[in-house]
Amino acid sequence: MALKWYVVHTYSGFEFKVKQMLEDKIRNANMQQFFGEILIPVEKSTDDSKDKKKSRPAKFYPGYILVQMDMNEKTWHLVRSTPKVTGFVGNSINPPSVPESEIQKVMEQMSDGTVAKKVKIKFEEGESVRIIDGPFNNFTGVVDNINTEKGKVRVLISIFGRSTPVELDYNQIEKV
């Protein structure tokens, strides 16, 4: 029996709860031999809102989980009847499996954190900012350039009366 990977659609925000409920259902039905891993692709992310940095997992695919299983009528029904599961991705009755190579890419992304991060640009060129992290902590300066691809901001700060450019991450500065 070869276990294959399938994408299961869940209510968004309930991925971890669905994983727990599905694991419980598999154990209660004594069907562990038909299931492998249940994967929620996440990476560590920092939330810089409200001047507090907190780490929380960011889902690569909100509303989806990956289930390694032997697809048959009983396993299909077990997954499909789990609360907060809306179905399998693809054909709802005979869903296609995900190639192992794609799963490997997802696992690499999880370990590397290589999925492109969405960065909220909250600064404009010419705006006054205060540096809140790094060797220039508490310096104030003016945003000179914003590099959205790298997530960097060049800030001009005054050192010994000279305007000096410093390249910083978005999360190292705040508006004055």
Side-chain angles (χ1 to χ4, degrees):
M1 159 176 58
L3 300 180
K4 294 184 178 180
W5 287 94
Y6 297 89
V7 180
V8 176
H9 188 253
T10 69
Y11 288 10
S12 189
F14 287 90
E15 297 87 354
F16 290 102
K17 187 76 173 159
V18 167
K19 177 181 178 181
Q20 185 63 54
M21 288 187 289
L22 188 53
E23 287 170 344
D24 291 345
K25 284 183 78 168
I26 292 167
R27 221 178 357 269
N28 291 340
N30 198 21
M31 295 179 71
Q32 294 93 328
Q33 70 272 23
F34 297 108
F35 289 88
E37 281 185 81
I38 299 173
L39 190 64
I40 302 169
V42 295
E43 70 173 338
K44 264 195 165 176
S45 168
T46 54
D47 185 6
D48 297 332
S49 61
K50 301 176 188 164
D51 297 330
K52 294 179 186 174
K53 290 183 184 178
K54 65 179 181 181
S55 184
R56 61 173 173 76
K59 297 176 198 93
F60 291 168
Y61 312 111
Y64 298 94
I65 64 173
L66 300 169
V67 179
Q68 189 181 31
M69 61 187 279
D70 175 36
M71 182 64 73
N72 62 44
E73 194 173 333
K74 288 182 180 180
T75 57
W76 183 91
H77 279 291
L78 186 120
V79 173
R80 190 64 187 85
S81 65
T82 303
K84 310 289 188 218
V85 168
T86 58
F88 287 91
V89 173
N91 183 340
S92 61
I93 294 170
N94 189 13
S97 63
V98 179
E100 190 67 36
S101 61
E102 291 298 315
I103 299 299
Q104 284 304 116
K105 287 179 188 175
V106 169
M107 288 184 177
E108 287 172 18
Q109 289 173 341
M110 286 175 64
S111 64
D112 298 346
T114 56
V115 167
K117 295 180 182 177
K118 297 175 188 170
V119 178
K120 297 177 188 171
I121 301 171
K122 50 187 175 186
F123 307 105
E124 296 177 13
E125 290 183 13
E127 187 173 28
S128 292
V129 293
R130 177 183 297 109
I131 300 173
I132 57 171
D133 189 26
F136 300 103
N137 195 12
N138 291 327
F139 276 70
T140 56
V142 177
V143 175
D144 180 48
N145 187 352
I146 300 170
N147 186 338
T148 54
E149 288 179 21
K150 290 185 177 179
K152 302 278 187 183
V153 178
R154 187 170 60 214
V155 177
L156 298 176
I157 59 173
S158 180
I159 300 177
F160 303 120
R162 282 190 173 174
S163 185
T164 306
V166 179
E167 190 172 82
L168 303 163
D169 291 327
Y170 290 142
N171 62 355
Q172 289 183 287
I173 59 176
E174 67 181 7
K175 293 182 182 182
V176 175

